[in-house]
Amino acid sequence: MSDDLHTISAGGITATIKADGAELCSLKTADGLELLWQAGPVWPRHAPWLFPIVGRLKGDHLHHRGRTYPMTQHGFARDLRFIWLERSAEACVLRLTDDETTQARYPFAFHLTLSYRITADALDMVVEIANPGAEMLPASFGAHPAFNWPLLPGQPKESYRLIFAEAEPAPIRRLTGGLLREQPEPSPIDGDVLLLNDRLFNDDAIILDQPASQSVRLVGTKGPALELAWDNFRQLGIWSKPGGAPFVCIEPWRGFASPLNFDAEFALKPGILHMAPGAAETLRCRIRIESSN
């Protein structure tokens, strides 16, 4: 059994998870079709987890009790090695715990536990953020899975759309230099449908800071479709590399980048989670694969 990778399989779905970042790095259908972006040169990741921040802090610095700590975009969990707690044919559990390295950037005690399980036609992912320390734990957390776009090779990218569970009339948010602009902008979503094209991402990510939906489907005119559903996440990012790339990221978040004018105590940052000593927060995602049409 490899210490670096673990593959789980059931119901015709196969998923591979890395110890590095606890990152999902492959998701295949029963006939072997890879649905996850394979970390090519245009973006060298698959589906990183974002912790203890989502997005960017002003100046890439975190402020806590009069001290300043370095904290780069999306935090450090995606670049650290998790330990395996459990591994079986259909499931696995990994954990990251604070240590001297994390404390130098984020002066808080935490346990971050990621669980993967395949059930029938879906991959279930459960996140637990626990506070074993003696002070309040402020944190954000996000999923960042990149799906091949198109899902079925040879299909036009413009034939794909996102279909939300509910209509999404609210304005969206955009970024400047990785920070949240003050003013919302008109949404490109028409009712519950977002027609996908590269131009959508010329101005970076589309951020729904108040989505009505708790699931969205990635659908083309041919081939398989995906549904991503989430629980206890509050925001949603949609992103592809500006200039065009063969993937689209659908990102449930609990938190978001700092507003352009925010540079204060981290615990006061908008969108942050607060966990009391001994408390924990659980978030869930599910990727369901729909068979070819």
Side-chain angles (χ1 to χ4, degrees), residues 81-110:
R81 191 174 183 87
F82 286 58
I83 62 168
W84 301 102
L85 296 184
E86 299 175 25
R87 286 193 276 182
S88 69
E90 298 179 1
C92 64
V93 183
L94 307 92
R95 176 173 290 169
L96 180 69
T97 300
D98 65 284
D99 59 17
E100 289 183 1
T101 300
T102 68
Q103 289 275 344
R105 302 173 62 187
Y106 180 65
F108 303 98
F110 68 86

PDB file of all heavy atoms in Angstrom, residues 81-110:
ATOM      1  N   ARG A  81       1.576  17.685   3.840  1.00  0.00           N
ATOM      2  CA  ARG A  81       1.256  16.264   3.804  1.00  0.00           C
ATOM      3  C   ARG A  81       0.335  15.892   4.965  1.00  0.00           C
ATOM      4  O   ARG A  81       0.637  16.194   6.130  1.00  0.00           O
ATOM      5  CB  ARG A  81       2.542  15.441   3.855  1.00  0.00           C
ATOM      6  CG  ARG A  81       2.338  13.958   3.563  1.00  0.00           C
ATOM      7  CD  ARG A  81       3.677  13.254   3.480  1.00  0.00           C
ATOM      8  NE  ARG A  81       3.559  11.861   3.131  1.00  0.00           N
ATOM      9  CZ  ARG A  81       3.511  11.399   1.881  1.00  0.00           C
ATOM     10  NH1 ARG A  81       3.590  12.252   0.871  1.00  0.00           N
ATOM     11  NH2 ARG A  81       3.413  10.108   1.628  1.00  0.00           N
ATOM     12  N   PHE A  82      -0.754  15.249   4.670  1.00  0.00           N
ATOM     13  CA  PHE A  82      -1.678  14.735   5.671  1.00  0.00           C
ATOM     14  C   PHE A  82      -1.261  13.311   6.055  1.00  0.00           C
ATOM     15  O   PHE A  82      -0.570  12.632   5.301  1.00  0.00           O
ATOM     16  CB  PHE A  82      -3.105  14.693   5.113  1.00  0.00           C
ATOM     17  CG  PHE A  82      -3.790  16.035   4.993  1.00  0.00           C
ATOM     18  CD1 PHE A  82      -3.238  17.066   4.226  1.00  0.00           C
ATOM     19  CD2 PHE A  82      -5.003  16.258   5.619  1.00  0.00           C
ATOM     20  CE1 PHE A  82      -3.886  18.287   4.098  1.00  0.00           C
ATOM     21  CE2 PHE A  82      -5.660  17.483   5.500  1.00  0.00           C
ATOM     22  CZ  PHE A  82      -5.104  18.489   4.749  1.00  0.00           C
ATOM     23  N   ILE A  83      -1.694  12.872   7.210  1.00  0.00           N
ATOM     24  CA  ILE A  83      -1.464  11.483   7.601  1.00  0.00           C
ATOM     25  C   ILE A  83      -2.728  10.667   7.328  1.00  0.00           C
ATOM     26  O   ILE A  83      -3.845  11.182   7.399  1.00  0.00           O
ATOM     27  CB  ILE A  83      -1.054  11.359   9.084  1.00  0.00           C
ATOM     28  CG1 ILE A  83      -2.169  11.874  10.007  1.00  0.00           C
ATOM     29  CG2 ILE A  83       0.255  12.090   9.353  1.00  0.00           C
ATOM     30  CD1 ILE A  83      -1.951  11.526  11.468  1.00  0.00           C
ATOM     31  N   TRP A  84      -2.532   9.404   7.005  1.00  0.00           N
ATOM     32  CA  TRP A  84      -3.659   8.498   6.786  1.00  0.00           C
ATOM     33  C   TRP A  84      -4.169   8.016   8.136  1.00  0.00           C
ATOM     34  O   TRP A  84      -3.407   7.482   8.930  1.00  0.00           O
ATOM     35  CB  TRP A  84      -3.236   7.295   5.952  1.00  0.00           C
ATOM     36  CG  TRP A  84      -2.681   7.628   4.597  1.00  0.00           C
ATOM     37  CD1 TRP A  84      -1.369   7.638   4.236  1.00  0.00           C
ATOM     38  CD2 TRP A  84      -3.422   7.964   3.424  1.00  0.00           C
ATOM     39  NE1 TRP A  84      -1.241   7.979   2.911  1.00  0.00           N
ATOM     40  CE2 TRP A  84      -2.483   8.182   2.382  1.00  0.00           C
ATOM     41  CE3 TRP A  84      -4.782   8.114   3.157  1.00  0.00           C
ATOM     42  CZ2 TRP A  84      -2.854   8.537   1.097  1.00  0.00           C
ATOM     43  CZ3 TRP A  84      -5.162   8.473   1.867  1.00  0.00           C
ATOM     44  CH2 TRP A  84      -4.221   8.678   0.854  1.00  0.00           C
ATOM     45  N   LEU A  85      -5.456   8.178   8.384  1.00  0.00           N
ATOM     46  CA  LEU A  85      -6.077   7.623   9.581  1.00  0.00           C
ATOM     47  C   LEU A  85      -6.759   6.295   9.289  1.00  0.00           C
ATOM     48  O   LEU A  85      -6.756   5.387  10.123  1.00  0.00           O
ATOM     49  CB  LEU A  85      -7.103   8.595  10.166  1.00  0.00           C
ATOM     50  CG  LEU A  85      -6.583   9.939  10.680  1.00  0.00           C
ATOM     51  CD1 LEU A  85      -7.716  10.726  11.310  1.00  0.00           C
ATOM     52  CD2 LEU A  85      -5.437   9.760  11.664  1.00  0.00           C
ATOM     53  N   GLU A  86      -7.371   6.206   8.099  1.00  0.00           N
ATOM     54  CA  GLU A  86      -8.061   4.980   7.687  1.00  0.00           C
ATOM     55  C   GLU A  86      -7.917   4.819   6.190  1.00  0.00           C
ATOM     56  O   GLU A  86      -7.900   5.810   5.447  1.00  0.00           O
ATOM     57  CB  GLU A  86      -9.558   5.042   8.029  1.00  0.00           C
ATOM     58  CG  GLU A  86      -9.876   5.186   9.501  1.00  0.00           C
ATOM     59  CD  GLU A  86     -11.373   5.352   9.738  1.00  0.00           C
ATOM     60  OE1 GLU A  86     -12.176   4.894   8.889  1.00  0.00           O
ATOM     61  OE2 GLU A  86     -11.742   5.964  10.752  1.00  0.00           O
ATOM     62  N   ARG A  87      -7.837   3.560   5.743  1.00  0.00           N
ATOM     63  CA  ARG A  87      -7.839   3.259   4.312  1.00  0.00           C
ATOM     64  C   ARG A  87      -8.533   1.923   4.077  1.00  0.00           C
ATOM     65  O   ARG A  87      -8.220   0.930   4.731  1.00  0.00           O
ATOM     66  CB  ARG A  87      -6.412   3.199   3.754  1.00  0.00           C
ATOM     67  CG  ARG A  87      -5.790   4.560   3.614  1.00  0.00           C
ATOM     68  CD  ARG A  87      -4.518   4.534   2.782  1.00  0.00           C
ATOM     69  NE  ARG A  87      -3.345   4.180   3.571  1.00  0.00           N
ATOM     70  CZ  ARG A  87      -2.118   4.124   3.077  1.00  0.00           C
ATOM     71  NH1 ARG A  87      -1.910   4.357   1.789  1.00  0.00           N
ATOM     72  NH2 ARG A  87      -1.086   3.827   3.843  1.00  0.00           N
ATOM     73  N   SER A  88      -9.477   1.914   3.160  1.00  0.00           N
ATOM     74  CA  SER A  88     -10.160   0.678   2.787  1.00  0.00           C
ATOM     75  C   SER A  88     -10.432   0.712   1.289  1.00  0.00           C
ATOM     76  O   SER A  88     -10.046   1.652   0.588  1.00  0.00           O
ATOM     77  CB  SER A  88     -11.474   0.534   3.560  1.00  0.00           C
ATOM     78  OG  SER A  88     -12.417   1.510   3.130  1.00  0.00           O
ATOM     79  N   ALA A  89     -11.116  -0.297   0.778  1.00  0.00           N
ATOM     80  CA  ALA A  89     -11.382  -0.387  -0.663  1.00  0.00           C
ATOM     81  C   ALA A  89     -12.315   0.720  -1.143  1.00  0.00           C
ATOM     82  O   ALA A  89     -12.243   1.131  -2.301  1.00  0.00           O
ATOM     83  CB  ALA A  89     -11.981  -1.755  -0.998  1.00  0.00           C
ATOM     84  N   GLU A  90     -13.191   1.222  -0.253  1.00  0.00           N
ATOM     85  CA  GLU A  90     -14.209   2.191  -0.662  1.00  0.00           C
ATOM     86  C   GLU A  90     -14.080   3.547   0.027  1.00  0.00           C
ATOM     87  O   GLU A  90     -14.841   4.464  -0.297  1.00  0.00           O
ATOM     88  CB  GLU A  90     -15.606   1.625  -0.387  1.00  0.00           C
ATOM     89  CG  GLU A  90     -15.906   0.352  -1.159  1.00  0.00           C
ATOM     90  CD  GLU A  90     -17.286  -0.196  -0.853  1.00  0.00           C
ATOM     91  OE1 GLU A  90     -18.012   0.435  -0.062  1.00  0.00           O
ATOM     92  OE2 GLU A  90     -17.627  -1.256  -1.408  1.00  0.00           O
ATOM     93  N   ALA A  91     -13.120   3.687   0.951  1.00  0.00           N
ATOM     94  CA  ALA A  91     -13.060   4.925   1.727  1.00  0.00           C
ATOM     95  C   ALA A  91     -11.647   5.172   2.242  1.00  0.00           C
ATOM     96  O   ALA A  91     -10.806   4.266   2.291  1.00  0.00           O
ATOM     97  CB  ALA A  91     -14.039   4.855   2.902  1.00  0.00           C
ATOM     98  N   CYS A  92     -11.410   6.429   2.649  1.00  0.00           N
ATOM     99  CA  CYS A  92     -10.169   6.769   3.334  1.00  0.00           C
ATOM    100  C   CYS A  92     -10.376   8.045   4.142  1.00  0.00           C
ATOM    101  O   CYS A  92     -11.282   8.834   3.857  1.00  0.00           O
ATOM    102  CB  CYS A  92      -8.993   6.904   2.370  1.00  0.00           C
ATOM    103  SG  CYS A  92      -9.142   8.241   1.172  1.00  0.00           S
ATOM    104  N   VAL A  93      -9.534   8.229   5.158  1.00  0.00           N
ATOM    105  CA  VAL A  93      -9.596   9.392   6.032  1.00  0.00           C
ATOM    106  C   VAL A  93      -8.177   9.891   6.245  1.00  0.00           C
ATOM    107  O   VAL A  93      -7.266   9.111   6.505  1.00  0.00           O
ATOM    108  CB  VAL A  93     -10.236   9.054   7.397  1.00  0.00           C
ATOM    109  CG1 VAL A  93     -10.348  10.307   8.257  1.00  0.00           C
ATOM    110  CG2 VAL A  93     -11.607   8.403   7.205  1.00  0.00           C
ATOM    111  N   LEU A  94      -7.996  11.224   6.133  1.00  0.00           N
ATOM    112  CA  LEU A  94      -6.688  11.845   6.315  1.00  0.00           C
ATOM    113  C   LEU A  94      -6.817  13.012   7.283  1.00  0.00           C
ATOM    114  O   LEU A  94      -7.888  13.606   7.412  1.00  0.00           O
ATOM    115  CB  LEU A  94      -6.118  12.358   4.988  1.00  0.00           C
ATOM    116  CG  LEU A  94      -6.035  11.404   3.811  1.00  0.00           C
ATOM    117  CD1 LEU A  94      -7.285  11.494   2.940  1.00  0.00           C
ATOM    118  CD2 LEU A  94      -4.797  11.720   2.947  1.00  0.00           C
ATOM    119  N   ARG A  95      -5.674  13.373   7.918  1.00  0.00           N
ATOM    120  CA  ARG A  95      -5.725  14.474   8.887  1.00  0.00           C
ATOM    121  C   ARG A  95      -4.453  15.311   8.815  1.00  0.00           C
ATOM    122  O   ARG A  95      -3.357  14.800   8.624  1.00  0.00           O
ATOM    123  CB  ARG A  95      -5.910  13.955  10.308  1.00  0.00           C
ATOM    124  CG  ARG A  95      -5.872  15.055  11.382  1.00  0.00           C
ATOM    125  CD  ARG A  95      -6.225  14.532  12.751  1.00  0.00           C
ATOM    126  NE  ARG A  95      -7.657  14.191  12.823  1.00  0.00           N
ATOM    127  CZ  ARG A  95      -8.213  13.514  13.811  1.00  0.00           C
ATOM    128  NH1 ARG A  95      -7.460  13.077  14.810  1.00  0.00           N
ATOM    129  NH2 ARG A  95      -9.510  13.259  13.803  1.00  0.00           N
ATOM    130  N   LEU A  96      -4.658  16.618   8.997  1.00  0.00           N
ATOM    131  CA  LEU A  96      -3.567  17.570   9.181  1.00  0.00           C
ATOM    132  C   LEU A  96      -3.749  18.226  10.541  1.00  0.00           C
ATOM    133  O   LEU A  96      -4.849  18.668  10.877  1.00  0.00           O
ATOM    134  CB  LEU A  96      -3.602  18.633   8.084  1.00  0.00           C
ATOM    135  CG  LEU A  96      -2.511  19.705   8.131  1.00  0.00           C
ATOM    136  CD1 LEU A  96      -1.148  19.112   7.815  1.00  0.00           C
ATOM    137  CD2 LEU A  96      -2.836  20.845   7.148  1.00  0.00           C
ATOM    138  N   THR A  97      -2.656  18.272  11.317  1.00  0.00           N
ATOM    139  CA  THR A  97      -2.681  18.870  12.648  1.00  0.00           C
ATOM    140  C   THR A  97      -1.630  19.969  12.718  1.00  0.00           C
ATOM    141  O   THR A  97      -0.575  19.870  12.088  1.00  0.00           O
ATOM    142  CB  THR A  97      -2.387  17.793  13.711  1.00  0.00           C
ATOM    143  OG1 THR A  97      -3.386  16.771  13.616  1.00  0.00           O
ATOM    144  CG2 THR A  97      -2.412  18.376  15.110  1.00  0.00           C
ATOM    145  N   ASP A  98      -1.930  21.002  13.474  1.00  0.00           N
ATOM    146  CA  ASP A  98      -0.970  22.101  13.596  1.00  0.00           C
ATOM    147  C   ASP A  98       0.357  21.607  14.159  1.00  0.00           C
ATOM    148  O   ASP A  98       0.409  20.658  14.940  1.00  0.00           O
ATOM    149  CB  ASP A  98      -1.553  23.212  14.481  1.00  0.00           C
ATOM    150  CG  ASP A  98      -1.751  22.758  15.915  1.00  0.00           C
ATOM    151  OD1 ASP A  98      -2.718  22.008  16.177  1.00  0.00           O
ATOM    152  OD2 ASP A  98      -0.940  23.145  16.769  1.00  0.00           O
ATOM    153  N   ASP A  99       1.429  22.277  13.749  1.00  0.00           N
ATOM    154  CA  ASP A  99       2.763  22.001  14.267  1.00  0.00           C
ATOM    155  C   ASP A  99       3.575  23.295  14.201  1.00  0.00           C
ATOM    156  O   ASP A  99       3.018  24.373  13.947  1.00  0.00           O
ATOM    157  CB  ASP A  99       3.438  20.863  13.477  1.00  0.00           C
ATOM    158  CG  ASP A  99       3.570  21.158  11.985  1.00  0.00           C
ATOM    159  OD1 ASP A  99       3.451  22.347  11.586  1.00  0.00           O
ATOM    160  OD2 ASP A  99       3.797  20.221  11.204  1.00  0.00           O
ATOM    161  N   GLU A 100       4.872  23.206  14.419  1.00  0.00           N
ATOM    162  CA  GLU A 100       5.700  24.416  14.420  1.00  0.00           C
ATOM    163  C   GLU A 100       5.640  25.133  13.075  1.00  0.00           C
ATOM    164  O   GLU A 100       5.658  26.368  13.027  1.00  0.00           O
ATOM    165  CB  GLU A 100       7.151  24.049  14.756  1.00  0.00           C
ATOM    166  CG  GLU A 100       7.354  23.630  16.195  1.00  0.00           C
ATOM    167  CD  GLU A 100       8.817  23.350  16.501  1.00  0.00           C
ATOM    168  OE1 GLU A 100       9.655  23.501  15.581  1.00  0.00           O
ATOM    169  OE2 GLU A 100       9.122  22.984  17.644  1.00  0.00           O
ATOM    170  N   THR A 101       5.577  24.375  11.981  1.00  0.00           N
ATOM    171  CA  THR A 101       5.533  24.982  10.647  1.00  0.00           C
ATOM    172  C   THR A 101       4.261  25.792  10.457  1.00  0.00           C
ATOM    173  O   THR A 101       4.298  26.931   9.980  1.00  0.00           O
ATOM    174  CB  THR A 101       5.632  23.889   9.562  1.00  0.00           C
ATOM    175  OG1 THR A 101       6.863  23.187   9.719  1.00  0.00           O
ATOM    176  CG2 THR A 101       5.575  24.500   8.177  1.00  0.00           C
ATOM    177  N   THR A 102       3.108  25.224  10.823  1.00  0.00           N
ATOM    178  CA  THR A 102       1.850  25.958  10.645  1.00  0.00           C
ATOM    179  C   THR A 102       1.733  27.105  11.646  1.00  0.00           C
ATOM    180  O   THR A 102       1.213  28.170  11.315  1.00  0.00           O
ATOM    181  CB  THR A 102       0.631  25.029  10.776  1.00  0.00           C
ATOM    182  OG1 THR A 102       0.512  24.565  12.123  1.00  0.00           O
ATOM    183  CG2 THR A 102       0.754  23.827   9.839  1.00  0.00           C
ATOM    184  N   GLN A 103       2.224  26.900  12.867  1.00  0.00           N
ATOM    185  CA  GLN A 103       2.109  27.942  13.884  1.00  0.00           C
ATOM    186  C   GLN A 103       2.880  29.206  13.497  1.00  0.00           C
ATOM    187  O   GLN A 103       2.512  30.312  13.906  1.00  0.00           O
ATOM    188  CB  GLN A 103       2.623  27.419  15.227  1.00  0.00           C
ATOM    189  CG  GLN A 103       1.719  26.382  15.880  1.00  0.00           C
ATOM    190  CD  GLN A 103       0.602  27.000  16.693  1.00  0.00           C
ATOM    191  OE1 GLN A 103       0.634  28.175  17.027  1.00  0.00           O
ATOM    192  NE2 GLN A 103      -0.414  26.197  17.011  1.00  0.00           N
ATOM    193  N   ALA A 104       3.926  29.053  12.684  1.00  0.00           N
ATOM    194  CA  ALA A 104       4.697  30.218  12.240  1.00  0.00           C
ATOM    195  C   ALA A 104       3.911  31.077  11.254  1.00  0.00           C
ATOM    196  O   ALA A 104       4.253  32.254  11.037  1.00  0.00           O
ATOM    197  CB  ALA A 104       6.001  29.757  11.591  1.00  0.00           C
ATOM    198  N   ARG A 105       2.849  30.509  10.688  1.00  0.00           N
ATOM    199  CA  ARG A 105       2.035  31.242   9.720  1.00  0.00           C
ATOM    200  C   ARG A 105       0.611  31.473  10.215  1.00  0.00           C
ATOM    201  O   ARG A 105      -0.075  32.379   9.741  1.00  0.00           O
ATOM    202  CB  ARG A 105       1.994  30.457   8.396  1.00  0.00           C
ATOM    203  CG  ARG A 105       3.365  30.210   7.797  1.00  0.00           C
ATOM    204  CD  ARG A 105       3.299  29.291   6.597  1.00  0.00           C
ATOM    205  NE  ARG A 105       2.515  29.861   5.512  1.00  0.00           N
ATOM    206  CZ  ARG A 105       2.204  29.196   4.401  1.00  0.00           C
ATOM    207  NH1 ARG A 105       2.586  27.958   4.241  1.00  0.00           N
ATOM    208  NH2 ARG A 105       1.492  29.781   3.470  1.00  0.00           N
ATOM    209  N   TYR A 106       0.199  30.640  11.164  1.00  0.00           N
ATOM    210  CA  TYR A 106      -1.198  30.628  11.604  1.00  0.00           C
ATOM    211  C   TYR A 106      -1.192  30.174  13.067  1.00  0.00           C
ATOM    212  O   TYR A 106      -1.139  28.966  13.337  1.00  0.00           O
ATOM    213  CB  TYR A 106      -1.962  29.658  10.700  1.00  0.00           C
ATOM    214  CG  TYR A 106      -3.429  29.477  10.967  1.00  0.00           C
ATOM    215  CD1 TYR A 106      -4.342  30.523  10.810  1.00  0.00           C
ATOM    216  CD2 TYR A 106      -3.921  28.218  11.327  1.00  0.00           C
ATOM    217  CE1 TYR A 106      -5.697  30.323  11.014  1.00  0.00           C
ATOM    218  CE2 TYR A 106      -5.277  28.013  11.524  1.00  0.00           C
ATOM    219  CZ  TYR A 106      -6.154  29.073  11.371  1.00  0.00           C
ATOM    220  OH  TYR A 106      -7.503  28.872  11.567  1.00  0.00           O
ATOM    221  N   PRO A 107      -1.212  31.094  14.013  1.00  0.00           N
ATOM    222  CA  PRO A 107      -0.917  30.765  15.411  1.00  0.00           C
ATOM    223  C   PRO A 107      -2.102  30.171  16.170  1.00  0.00           C
ATOM    224  O   PRO A 107      -2.503  30.666  17.232  1.00  0.00           O
ATOM    225  CB  PRO A 107      -0.513  32.120  15.993  1.00  0.00           C
ATOM    226  CG  PRO A 107      -1.340  33.107  15.218  1.00  0.00           C
ATOM    227  CD  PRO A 107      -1.402  32.549  13.813  1.00  0.00           C
ATOM    228  N   PHE A 108      -2.647  29.098  15.626  1.00  0.00           N
ATOM    229  CA  PHE A 108      -3.822  28.466  16.218  1.00  0.00           C
ATOM    230  C   PHE A 108      -3.661  26.949  16.188  1.00  0.00           C
ATOM    231  O   PHE A 108      -3.057  26.391  15.270  1.00  0.00           O
ATOM    232  CB  PHE A 108      -5.099  28.842  15.454  1.00  0.00           C
ATOM    233  CG  PHE A 108      -5.350  30.324  15.377  1.00  0.00           C
ATOM    234  CD1 PHE A 108      -4.983  31.041  14.255  1.00  0.00           C
ATOM    235  CD2 PHE A 108      -5.935  30.994  16.440  1.00  0.00           C
ATOM    236  CE1 PHE A 108      -5.198  32.406  14.177  1.00  0.00           C
ATOM    237  CE2 PHE A 108      -6.157  32.365  16.377  1.00  0.00           C
ATOM    238  CZ  PHE A 108      -5.785  33.075  15.241  1.00  0.00           C
ATOM    239  N   ALA A 109      -4.255  26.290  17.178  1.00  0.00           N
ATOM    240  CA  ALA A 109      -4.326  24.831  17.202  1.00  0.00           C
ATOM    241  C   ALA A 109      -5.525  24.376  16.372  1.00  0.00           C
ATOM    242  O   ALA A 109      -6.599  24.980  16.425  1.00  0.00           O
ATOM    243  CB  ALA A 109      -4.455  24.328  18.637  1.00  0.00           C
ATOM    244  N   PHE A 110      -5.336  23.314  15.584  1.00  0.00           N
ATOM    245  CA  PHE A 110      -6.444  22.790  14.769  1.00  0.00           C
ATOM    246  C   PHE A 110      -6.205  21.331  14.422  1.00  0.00           C
ATOM    247  O   PHE A 110      -5.064  20.849  14.405  1.00  0.00           O
ATOM    248  CB  PHE A 110      -6.608  23.605  13.475  1.00  0.00           C
ATOM    249  CG  PHE A 110      -5.458  23.450  12.504  1.00  0.00           C
ATOM    250  CD1 PHE A 110      -5.430  22.405  11.589  1.00  0.00           C
ATOM    251  CD2 PHE A 110      -4.392  24.342  12.510  1.00  0.00           C
ATOM    252  CE1 PHE A 110      -4.372  22.246  10.701  1.00  0.00           C
ATOM    253  CE2 PHE A 110      -3.325  24.201  11.632  1.00  0.00           C
ATOM    254  CZ  PHE A 110      -3.314  23.145  10.729  1.00  0.00           C
TER     255      PHE A 110
END
